[in-house]
Amino acid sequence: MPKQTFFNLPKEKRDRIIAAAKEVFSKNSYEEASINQIVKLARIPRGSFYQYFEDKDDLYGYLSSQMFLRMIDAARQKLPECDYDPFKLSEQILPSWLEELFTGEDSSFYYRRLEMFHRRQMPHLKRQVLDNRLLDNCLSDEEMAKITAKVKLGDASDFDFMVQCISMAFYNSIRAGFINYEATGDANLDELKAKLLRDLHYLEVGFEK
């Protein structure tokens, strides 16, 4: 998490630093990306970097979590129109997330991240927590209660398991898209979306006998 001095900066400067970090991490692997590259592109002294962040790990974790939270916040806005049905919500937003990952303005950053993850080269990001606890913090108690009631979940552990299952279906589609992209240069979004919607359907209604 950035230090308070970062949040005290004018928005223009904060945006410039984040844009520089995003560009450097998009063009280089995590190991190859350097603080020197980031501060040069952001036009700030190297010493200032450590007034804002603990280290490269801190900045990368913050950058990743902010992208994740932006997507989660957009999904949260759709909860009421989906009547707090997590499967209906997933069917609406996850296909658009696939598009953002593979063709959106930050696709190069996501691709580098997927590349490292796929090759098991992800750094140990001790400050980055993109799990169910982060998702829980994005939802109010009232929203959690409405979702739980909608699909008749028993308790918090049931909610966590449901989120894990939906996340795994999404991840499997991302992984398939990454493999296709590596092999052919095309993720084939239509096929990925169809696979994702099929998997979500199985999670919602089960396998018919």
Side-chain angles (χ1 to χ4, degrees):
M1 186 68 161
K3 300 176 183 179
Q4 186 58 45
T5 49
F6 174 75
F7 296 108
N8 291 340
L9 292 172
K11 182 178 185 301
E12 183 277 331
K13 190 170 184 178
R14 279 185 281 125
D15 291 345
R16 192 170 75 242
I17 293 171
I18 292 302
K22 192 184 298 183
E23 181 173 340
V24 170
F25 285 124
S26 297
K27 293 181 176 179
N28 304 274
S29 69
Y30 178 84
E31 295 301 330
E32 293 170 337
S34 71
I35 292 174
N36 282 340
Q37 292 171 306
I38 294 169
V39 298
K40 181 179 180 180
L41 193 59
R43 305 191 305 278
I44 61 172
R46 182 181 173 90
S48 295
F49 178 90
Y50 293 101
Q51 294 178 11
Y52 309 143
F53 303 94
E54 290 291 340
D55 49 28
K56 183 174 71 170
D57 181 351
D58 191 18
L59 172 58
Y60 188 86
Y62 175 71
L63 186 61
S64 300
S65 64
Q66 289 305 295
M67 291 181 173
F68 176 83
L69 288 171
R70 188 184 71 241
M71 297 167 76
I72 290 296
D73 187 60
R76 185 183 181 188
Q77 304 307 313
K78 288 185 172 292
L79 267 174
E81 68 182 70
C82 291
D83 197 26
Y84 296 89
D85 185 328
F87 292 103
K88 185 176 180 180
L89 178 67
S90 298
E91 290 168 359
Q92 283 196 19
I93 64 164
L94 294 187
S96 66
W97 284 10
L98 284 176
E99 289 188 13
E100 182 168 350
L101 288 171
F102 287 104
T103 64
E105 63 179 49
D106 295 325
S107 59
S108 295
F109 177 88
Y110 292 128
Y111 178 79
R112 284 289 181 184
R113 184 175 172 80
L114 288 170
E115 184 180 41
M116 289 189 292
F117 188 81
H118 184 65
R119 303 189 192 290
R120 301 181 185 277
Q121 295 174 340
M122 286 296 290
H124 175 58
L125 299 176
K126 57 183 177 297
R127 299 177 185 86
Q128 185 182 5
V129 184
L130 299 182
D131 59 13
N132 291 344
R133 288 171 295 173
L134 182 58
L135 180 60
D136 289 348
N137 290 335
C138 295
L139 300 172
S140 67
D141 291 341
E142 181 182 3
E143 288 169 333
M144 290 279 288
K146 288 181 178 180
I147 293 171
T148 299
K150 188 68 179 181
V151 287
K152 297 180 174 60
L153 297 173
D155 53 28
S157 64
D158 286 348
F159 179 87
D160 287 346
F161 182 66
M162 179 189 69
V163 171
Q164 289 170 12
C165 290
I166 293 175
S167 299
M168 184 56 67
F170 184 52
Y171 168 72
N172 286 339
S173 295
I174 294 174
R175 182 174 181 275
F178 175 80
I179 292 172
N180 288 344
Y181 187 84
E182 284 275 271
T184 68
D186 180 16
N188 199 329
L189 284 172
D190 289 339
E191 286 188 6
L192 293 181
K193 291 177 184 179
K195 178 184 184 305
L196 174 61
L197 292 175
R198 181 198 65 191
D199 292 350
L200 290 173
H201 175 74
Y202 284 143
L203 286 175
E204 182 178 12
V205 303
F207 294 90
E208 296 181 359
K209 296 182 179 179

